[in-house]
Amino acid sequence: VLLAHSRERELAAALAQQREPCLHYPALDIEEVRRRITAFLQLDVEISQQEPNAIVRRFYHGALEEEVTFLRLIEATYDRSNERYWSLNLRLNPMPTQEEMDYALSYVKQTLSYGLKHPQTVEVSQRLIHFMDERLHLSLTWSCLQAVVPMNY
């Protein structure tokens, strides 16, 4: 409960000051996180030396590498190292390709196009388009929205 209230206060302050929230997780024991990193790295060495099956070795190596990266994300959060956190996060969750973004945004464009054609949703659609342009730097022009295939509702 204490952590939840603290997080809510920080999020409210960050929104009011138009800045990124600064969240800390004191409930995590950083020394335990570091012990687990060391243990997983040691296990990876042992498996690479003792596991005769190459496929099993690679499977374990990949799983252990992912777990260590996740724990290092926690460590980077503890150290307040935003750059390290970002690079580790990209290992686990790579940036989407342009094709993936286009595909995902095609549904947004369809919905906005539909919303602009109905009087009761024009205003909210325009506000979303403005938000996407100003905050996300995704320009959705009217011609772009008109080119979208209409949705079947």
Side-chain angles (χ1 to χ4, degrees):
V1 173
L2 181 63
L3 287 173
H5 289 302
S6 175
R7 181 181 63 228
E8 288 172 14
R9 276 194 313 273
E10 173 57 21
L11 289 173
L15 283 172
Q17 297 169 9
Q18 294 187 331
R19 62 171 172 80
E20 291 293 321
C22 185
L23 302 174
H24 305 283
Y25 300 96
L28 296 176
D29 178 9
I30 194 62
E31 292 310 315
E32 176 61 23
V33 171
R34 290 177 175 150
R35 279 191 292 276
R36 288 182 186 215
I37 290 171
T38 301
F40 282 137
L41 292 173
Q42 180 58 39
L43 180 59
D44 191 35
V45 169
E46 291 172 12
I47 290 172
S48 70
Q49 292 173 348
Q50 298 173 13
E51 174 57 53
N53 187 311
I55 294 172
V56 172
R57 245 188 346 263
R58 273 183 277 166
F59 173 75
Y60 276 113
H61 175 73
L64 289 167
E65 184 177 46
E66 187 172 314
E67 191 64 26
V68 167
T69 301
F70 178 76
L71 291 170
R72 289 195 189 278
L73 277 171
I74 295 170
E75 185 178 49
T77 301
Y78 176 84
D79 294 336
R80 297 181 182 170
S81 175
N82 292 339
E83 289 177 19
R84 186 164 172 241
Y85 182 92
W86 179 250
S87 70
L88 290 165
N89 189 41
L90 286 175
R91 283 190 207 168
L92 293 177
N93 307 295
M95 295 289 284
T97 65
Q98 186 63 47
E99 293 79 23
E100 291 168 330
M101 287 299 296
D102 290 343
Y103 179 77
L105 287 173
S106 71
Y107 289 98
V108 173
K109 290 176 185 177
Q110 283 179 338
T111 303
L112 289 172
S113 177
Y114 184 80
L116 289 169
K117 294 175 185 172
H118 292 79
Q120 63 271 35
T121 56
V122 169
E123 183 185 343
V124 71
S125 298
Q126 289 172 339
R127 288 193 344 231
L128 283 169
I129 291 167
H130 180 73
F131 172 82
M132 292 175 72
D133 184 42
E134 292 292 314
R135 293 289 188 99
L136 306 178
H137 307 290
L138 296 170
S139 295
L140 300 177
T141 62
W142 176 244
S143 60
C144 169
L145 293 171
Q146 284 181 315
V148 174
V149 178
M151 296 179 80
N152 296 323
Y153 283 99

